Amino acid sequence: MPAPKKYPDELRARGVRLALESDRPISQVAKDLGIQRESLRRWVRQAEADEGKRADLLTSDERERLKALDREVKELRRANEILKAASVFFAKELDPHRPK
């Protein structure tokens, strides 16, 4: 379960818009809005990545896809472990004299 957001989405959007459209530094915009400077800096970088202006970061869609794939890999690995354990169990049941 993800942690609750400290700042509402409207404030995030407003901060990013102000930081990108104004000539003021991010630290000044953050101070004016009463938010942490680094939080605003991360939001701006992510917005730039989502708009295709940054190639060094994943877009929000790519991040969500990566999270989903990580969850799927975890689930498949767990299923494989269960199947391996079951195959060992049934192999022993079919031939109890077979060495391990």
Side-chain angles (χ1 to χ4, degrees):
M1 182 177 206
K5 292 183 178 180
K6 185 174 180 181
Y7 301 108
D9 291 335
E10 296 82 21
L11 181 62
R12 289 175 181 236
R14 182 175 178 210
V16 168
R17 184 177 41 80
L18 285 173
L20 292 175
E21 292 175 357
S22 70
D23 292 333
R24 297 183 304 167
I26 288 177
S27 59
Q28 184 62 45
V29 173
K31 185 178 178 183
D32 291 346
L33 294 175
I35 57 179
Q36 295 292 318
R37 178 183 70 232
E38 284 302 307
S39 295
L40 182 57
R41 184 186 64 78
R42 281 193 318 269
W43 301 340
V44 168
R45 291 181 70 203
Q46 188 61 53
E48 289 173 341
D50 290 345
E51 293 172 1
K53 294 179 182 177
R54 294 187 74 107
D56 60 330
L57 296 175
L58 296 175
T59 65
S60 295
D61 292 337
E62 291 170 335
R63 284 181 187 275
E64 289 300 317
R65 178 78 174 129
L66 186 59
K67 285 180 188 178
L69 290 172
D70 284 342
R71 283 191 300 269
E72 185 178 352
V73 166
K74 211 183 261 189
E75 183 180 324
L76 291 173
R77 285 184 177 159
R78 189 172 35 244
N80 279 343
E81 290 299 318
I82 292 170
L83 290 172
K84 284 179 188 178
S87 66
V88 168
F89 173 78
F90 287 118
K92 288 180 185 176
E93 290 291 318
L94 292 175
D95 190 6
H97 301 295
R98 182 177 174 197
K100 294 181 182 177

